Amino acid sequence: MTLDIAHSPPLGGVEALLHDARERTLRLVEDLSDRDLERVHDPLMSPLVWDLGHIAAFEDLWVSRETGASLLREDLAAVYDAFETPRALRGDISSLRRREALAYLDAVRERTLSALDRVSPFIVEMLIQHEHQHNETMLQTLQLAEPGVYSPDRREPRGEAARGTIEVPSATVAIGDGAEGFAYDNERPRHERELAAFRIDRAPVTTAAFAEFVADGGYRRRELWSDAGWVHRERDGWERPLYWTRDGGVRRFDRTVPLEPELPVMHVSFFEAEAFARWRGARLPSEFEWEYVATLAGEEHGNLDQLDFGPGPAGPFLGDCWEWTASELDGYPGFRVHPYREYSQVFFSTGQRVLRGASWATRRRVARATFRNWDHPQRRQIFAGFRCAQDGELE
Ligand SMILES: [Fe+2]
């Protein structure tokens, strides 16, 4: 299967952006059998057809709110509400089947396009980004699926990982989005943070470096792990990153290839990242350290936009893989909900860890230095790695 869409952003304004988002969603699922679209591939994830219905219901909800119209499908609102129907239940409930979900997507979109002049630009952008973000979740599901379900053509990565560290003197830095253009509420308000001097690696931890940790007994050495991390390691029997095979391979969708030393390690949990950092005499950066250096690094990015089906050589802050940070998700000082509590406020101070950056599976439009992603520290299905930092400057 190929996704032969040009890498360039669409022209033609909001309609073209909405169309581009929808086209990508449909291409993700077009080659899947009904059974593979409708079944649960992993208990952690929704059936893919649920994502389709949810994308439609989310757009139905927000366009109705904006225009004062009633929902096109009031009867589906609860089924596709992420809170009322959590992931664990989505395989059991009767949601729409393929044909019905596609028809619902079409019906909602038709109404959106006819009402565009009455929907605020912020909400339209949110709908586009929401659909992009669900595409990445759907790719996580497809990577979890057993071989044979999804067979994308992968672009072969070339080149070497970046080496060395960046030294950052202590500074007062501005963090967060400055309120121009689109950002989620949790990226605001922009505010100052004091950073002590630190060093941060120019690249996320490579597969080669992580393989040394594994070979050095990293998964067996209790002293490297936090108490909570060790509980998960023991209970789930972690011996290596998710998708690594016992004999030095890694599964990328339905193909297993030899480990690729220069690529960032991916599909490790926060706990594994933390144990590696301790092994190396380093630590994970705070999300503020990360954002500050990522902003200095500018526009340079690795693989983005879903079409390469894997990361490039470890290096850039944006692209290739998400990066776990040491920070727990919380609101910034002066945080205000906008436009809805359930996007992130309900996750504040619940022990979820912040991931920064973007992965190869993130649409370019979503990738920005202020974007905050988050998940439970034991999760490994995200296209996530990490980079290491250390206190102080080099002597
Ligand atoms: Fe959603």
Side-chain angles (χ1 to χ4, degrees):
M1 195 190 92
T2 51
L3 286 170
D4 53 354
I5 308 168
H7 279 228
S8 54
L11 302 170
V14 165
E15 286 95 337
L17 293 168
L18 285 164
H19 179 74
D20 164 77
R22 181 55 43 84
E23 185 165 59
R24 201 62 78 79
T25 300
L26 298 178
R27 280 178 181 238
L28 264 177
V29 299
E30 70 185 357
D31 288 344
L32 299 176
S33 68
D34 288 355
R35 179 166 179 271
D36 286 340
L37 189 74
E38 292 169 9
R39 71 181 161 129
V40 173
H41 293 281
D42 186 282
L44 215 50
M45 310 301 279
S46 322
L48 291 155
V49 75
W50 188 92
D51 289 275
L52 298 182
H54 168 80
I55 290 168
F58 188 84
E59 188 169 319
D60 192 0
L61 176 73
W62 284 98
V63 172
S64 298
R65 278 191 194 177
E66 290 278 292
T67 60
S70 39
L71 292 172
L72 287 184
R73 291 294 300 267
E74 181 78 52
D75 58 316
L76 297 174
V79 169
Y80 290 115
D81 183 288
F83 282 85
E84 289 190 47
T85 308
R87 284 185 182 182
L89 300 178
R90 291 175 197 166
D92 303 327
I93 47 137
S94 60
S95 60
L96 300 178
R97 309 289 302 269
R98 174 183 224 133
R99 222 152 35 94
E100 302 157 331
L102 294 174
Y104 184 32
L105 279 167
D106 280 350
V108 172
R109 179 53 56 85
E110 196 178 321
R111 187 182 61 163
T112 302
L113 293 173
S114 69
L116 261 187
D117 54 340
R118 286 175 287 143
V119 184
S120 70
F122 183 94
I123 296 296
V124 176
E125 184 65 38
M126 186 176 78
L127 296 175
I128 294 165
Q129 300 225 356
H130 179 256
E131 187 155 352
H132 287 343
Q133 288 169 261
H134 270 276
N135 285 178
E136 179 159 359
T137 311
M138 292 163 79
L139 281 161
Q140 292 171 13
T141 306
L142 290 166
Q143 168 69 57
L144 280 163
E146 58 198 46
V149 171
Y150 189 63
S151 318
D153 284 337
R154 180 170 175 234
R155 177 174 298 197
E156 288 305 319
R158 285 181 213 291
E160 290 187 357
R163 307 268 191 260
T165 57
I166 301 166
E167 287 190 57
V168 186
S170 63
T172 304
V173 304
I175 293 297
D177 185 87
E180 289 155 32
F182 181 85
Y184 284 110
D185 54 6
N186 66 34
E187 298 167 62
R188 294 174 171 158
R190 193 166 169 85
H191 63 285
E192 290 191 340
R193 298 266 170 180
E194 304 286 339
L195 299 183
F198 67 103
R199 284 169 277 155
I200 188 164
D201 289 356
R202 288 189 187 279
V205 170
T206 62
T207 296
F210 203 87
E212 280 178 43
F213 166 76
V214 177
D216 196 37
Y219 279 83
R220 302 287 170 88
R221 289 166 56 180
R222 173 68 185 85
E223 73 275 13
L224 299 175
W225 295 71
S226 65
D227 291 348
W230 189 252
V231 167
H232 284 281
R233 198 221 73 81
E234 293 272 279
R235 199 189 63 195
D236 297 329
W238 295 340
E239 300 278 359
R240 58 189 75 83
L242 183 63
Y243 306 124
W244 282 26
T245 62
R246 201 179 280 275
D247 56 353
V250 57
R251 181 167 74 77
R252 307 250 189 238
F253 295 96
D254 73 346
R255 255 181 300 165
T256 298
V257 297
L259 289 180
E260 296 154 306
E262 299 295 308
L263 302 193
V265 66
M266 287 196 306
H267 301 294
V268 287
S269 62
F270 167 85
F271 292 130
E272 289 157 284
E274 204 183 34
F276 176 96
R278 196 166 290 134
W279 173 75
R280 226 195 69 182
R283 61 173 173 80
L284 298 180
S286 72
E287 61 168 322
F288 311 116
E289 291 171 332
W290 190 99
E291 180 176 324
Y292 178 54
V293 182
T295 307
L296 295 179
E299 298 289 298
E300 188 209 351
H301 63 79
N303 286 357
L304 281 172
D305 228 33
Q306 300 177 344
L307 300 179
D308 293 327
F309 291 96
F317 282 79
L318 283 179
D320 300 324
C321 65
W322 291 96
E323 299 181 24
W324 288 105
T325 72
S327 303
E328 192 181 330
L329 182 70
D330 206 345
Y332 289 165
F335 169 85
R336 284 176 40 211
V337 168
H338 180 76
Y340 67 112
R341 240 186 112 248
E342 291 76 13
Y343 178 69
S344 62
Q345 192 188 34
V346 292
F347 300 104
F348 291 171
S349 304
T350 59
Q352 308 228 25
R353 298 292 172 158
V354 175
L355 298 114
R356 291 301 200 106
S359 83
W360 65 264
T362 309
R363 292 301 307 271
R364 196 164 294 197
R365 204 166 177 81
V366 179
R368 52 186 181 269
T370 58
F371 188 93
R372 305 170 80 202
N373 191 358
W374 65 90
D375 209 336
H376 295 288
Q378 69 272 28
R379 292 288 188 252
R380 312 169 90 198
Q381 86 286 357
I382 311 164
F383 300 103
F386 61 100
R387 77 178 71 209
C388 289
Q390 283 170 291
D391 292 338
E393 295 168 75
L394 286 171
E395 282 93 57

